[in-house]
Amino acid sequence: MRLLVVEDNKDLAAWLGKALRQAQYAIDIAHDGEDAEHMLKVAEYSAMILDLALPKLDGLTLLKRLRQSGNKLPVIILTANASLDGRVAGLDSGADDYLAKPFEIAELEARIRAVVRRGQDRASSEITVGNLRFSGGTRQFFVADELLQLTPREYAVLEQLVMKVGNTVSKAALSESVFGFDDEADPSAIEIYVHRLRKKLESSSVQIATLRGLGYLLRHVE
């Protein structure tokens, strides 16, 4: 899953980015509201972590514009303003959750999982393809009930494929789910990750098929 972190405190933003990447998310970071608004127009995200006190365009205005455009992206507000009025203003503007600073990263991760589950019905339940099972709650993969060990980017590719099982996923869409704007993406990287996944799925009853010129398809094989 790809997340957008909007935080003007660069040290905090860097810490959040590092922690969430370790939790197997692809992360983009914006330090002001205008940059965040642009990124929301050109990339697809699973959720946004939003500070309110932002330069150029404040968080509440950004959130209101997002909702007025019809975008239902899950949004968690992060702010030092833990007052009742502040929480009400954020929730009334369209936020899905609210977390006051300081906070523990484990709690933020739990809240991210919760808002994404609410925003994507399919992620709230298990998805099974052959003997490959994806648990939306824990964000883990199992083959015949054995935990599948994946690197963060292998995980991102397989998650994208299993969430769209039965549909072809283009290399560009997979690349978007794996790499943030600041990452240097090798054009052949997705092919490498797919190759590694095929090796790890050899004992399973699923296959990642290549459809030339279209992308990749996860399917059950007898």
Side-chain angles (χ1 to χ4, degrees):
M1 295 183 187
R2 189 173 181 180
L3 306 178
L4 177 60
V5 174
V6 190
E7 169 60 62
D8 67 325
N9 182 317
K10 293 186 178 180
D11 289 338
L12 176 57
W15 174 75
L16 277 174
K18 180 179 179 180
L20 292 172
R21 288 185 185 100
Q22 289 175 344
Q24 300 183 327
Y25 293 100
I27 303 297
D28 286 329
I29 295 174
H31 297 299
D32 64 67
E34 287 186 356
D35 280 352
E37 190 170 46
H38 172 72
M39 295 163 98
L40 287 164
K41 291 177 180 177
V42 300
E44 184 176 342
Y45 296 99
S46 296
M48 176 167 63
I49 315 302
L50 177 65
D51 185 27
L52 293 182
L54 297 171
K56 297 185 180 180
L57 181 68
D58 68 88
L60 280 182
T61 300
L62 173 63
L63 180 56
K64 288 176 182 177
R65 289 185 182 180
L66 184 74
R67 295 304 186 230
Q68 287 168 359
S69 72
N71 193 322
K72 298 181 180 179
L73 175 73
V75 176
I76 300 174
I77 287 178
L78 295 183
T79 183
N81 179 8
S83 70
L84 176 60
D85 288 345
R87 294 197 301 273
V88 170
L91 294 170
D92 282 349
S93 297
D96 296 272
D97 205 348
Y98 198 105
L99 190 58
K101 302 173 184 177
F103 57 87
E104 295 293 333
I105 192 66
E107 182 179 4
L108 176 59
E109 289 179 28
R111 289 174 183 261
I112 291 170
R113 291 192 295 270
V115 298
V116 170
R117 283 199 302 269
R118 291 198 295 268
Q120 300 176 352
D121 291 340
R122 292 189 71 190
S124 65
S125 59
E126 291 189 346
I127 299 174
T128 302
V129 186
N131 62 355
L132 175 69
R133 177 168 57 89
F134 172 66
S135 171
T138 62
R139 299 183 69 234
Q140 292 177 314
F141 285 96
F142 299 86
V143 172
D145 294 326
E146 182 175 342
L147 181 64
L148 189 62
Q149 301 291 341
L150 302 170
T151 67
R153 286 179 174 169
E154 291 168 356
Y155 176 95
V157 170
L158 187 56
E159 181 181 48
Q160 189 78 350
L161 290 171
V162 80
M163 292 298 292
K164 297 184 179 179
V165 64
N167 297 295
T168 304
V169 184
S170 69
K171 189 182 293 187
L174 290 176
S175 185
E176 271 204 6
S177 71
V178 172
F179 300 107
F181 284 117
D182 294 332
D183 293 324
E184 293 184 8
D186 186 321
S188 65
I190 296 301
E191 296 173 16
I192 294 170
Y193 298 134
V194 168
H195 174 74
R196 291 176 182 172
L197 284 169
R198 284 172 172 154
K199 289 286 187 182
K200 293 186 177 183
L201 292 170
E202 282 180 342
S203 64
S204 75
S205 62
V206 299
Q207 177 188 71
I208 301 174
T210 300
L211 303 181
R212 294 195 180 280
L214 297 175
Y216 299 95
L217 175 69
L218 182 71
R219 64 189 181 189
H220 177 216
V221 291
E222 298 294 341

